[in-house]
Amino acid sequence: MSRYISGFSDLIVQYADYQKASGGWGTERTGHRLNIEYFDRYCSENYPGQPLSQEMVDSWCQKRETETNTSCNTRTDGIRSFIRYLRERGLTEAEPPPSLKNCGNTYIPHAFNKDELARFFIECDAVVFRRPEAKYRMKELVCPVFFRLLYSSGIRTTEARYLKREDADLVHGVLNIRKSKGNSQHYVALHESMAQLLIKYDRAAEKLRPGREYFFEPPNGGHYSRQWVTGMFQPLWEKANGTGSNAVAYALRHNYAVTNINSWPEGPFGFNAKLQYLSKSMGHSSIESTLHYYSMVPRLADILREKTEKGMNAILPEVLYEEE
């Protein structure tokens, strides 16, 4: 029985099947899926039994008083994708509304220092769940490894959560990142010490959760949630460094990019080549996305100007902070 209840529920089912087959639907109740469900419910309540129409699309996608342009786009992007899918197949004449111009981003990632990070990882290593159940023992294993992987590789928290065991080549120290922003598959080469740590973790985790699908997998299967990442990171960070900072787990990705850029040798040729490698490793579709850090990190603009001299301003994008 379909979970959808609008007058065009059959079209949503068809779209959902397409998304699942193409790997774009995910395995949890992601924002994309939820917004499709909300749209379906809205149309059922306000246009009961009616086929999809432009009026439905426009009324749902209209910006609300409580929304910014960015949050409105987030809520309605899934609907735009749904309408485009239908139009490409001649299943509707409705048109997707245009995306609103992003209104910029004031988020500045936390600038980690070595002492803060050292104290944080000490707390990660000190995690002990004093109960024998597998779910507590698994968390004790996961925390030190999961956050070190974010720190040392720059992968997104979503990429780490969705990483499957079969995609972790620990012999060669390479991760195959399939579940990424925009479904952009890419590969990440690990530092040797991180690869060795993952090998140790994998052996220990396999004893607690034999035959697991995901590399970081709870005892009941599946993958850890976005809320789990926040729920583990924040208490450990505050215990190590106190409250009052804007540090979040995702900021470890920013730290990875900045640390790499700051360590590169002088000279535009070496710098530009390394920037290309960094961009690919971080799963960016273009080098412009990597340069997003230019406008977000204090003094990074000066460093980039010193190393590249000219031309950077012409290609700097407006990129929003991406929690996932």
Side-chain angles (χ1 to χ4, degrees), residues 6-160:
S6 66
F8 50 92
S9 59
D10 57 326
L11 297 179
I12 300 181
V13 171
Q14 182 177 330
Y15 173 71
D17 289 342
Y18 167 79
Q19 287 288 345
K20 293 174 184 176
S22 62
W25 204 235
T27 57
E28 63 178 9
R29 291 174 63 83
T30 58
H32 188 126
R33 293 174 60 181
L34 280 174
N35 286 322
I36 291 288
E37 291 179 19
Y38 295 152
F39 178 60
D40 172 72
R41 189 182 309 163
Y42 169 83
C43 292
S44 174
E45 294 173 354
N46 293 277
Y47 306 90
Q50 297 184 29
L52 181 66
S53 68
Q54 190 68 53
E55 181 181 349
M56 295 178 188
V57 175
D58 291 344
S59 60
W60 171 259
C61 294
Q62 183 178 7
K63 181 182 174 183
R64 301 169 182 173
E65 292 184 0
T66 57
E67 291 179 324
T68 64
N69 288 3
T70 301
S71 59
C72 180
N73 285 337
T74 299
R75 177 176 62 84
T76 58
D77 275 346
I79 311 306
R80 272 185 283 276
S81 175
F82 172 53
I83 299 300
R84 285 194 295 268
Y85 169 87
L86 296 179
R87 286 180 62 83
E88 289 170 358
R89 290 156 180 79
L91 299 176
T92 185
E93 294 183 358
E95 295 185 359
S99 297
L100 301 177
K101 179 178 175 58
N102 287 326
C103 48
N105 176 36
T106 59
Y107 171 80
I108 298 177
H110 181 77
F112 295 104
N113 62 54
K114 292 182 179 180
D115 291 338
E116 286 178 331
L117 289 169
R119 290 192 295 267
F120 170 70
F121 286 118
I122 287 173
E123 292 300 330
C124 288
D125 294 338
V127 170
V128 176
F129 290 89
R130 303 184 185 281
R131 295 182 63 174
E133 291 91 339
K135 65 178 181 180
Y136 297 108
R137 296 170 61 195
M138 186 65 84
K139 287 182 180 179
E140 183 178 339
L141 285 176
V142 170
C143 279
V145 181
F146 184 90
F147 293 118
R148 278 185 171 88
L149 179 59
L150 299 183
Y151 166 75
S152 67
S153 67
I155 65 175
R156 300 176 176 94
T157 54
T158 299
E159 294 167 351

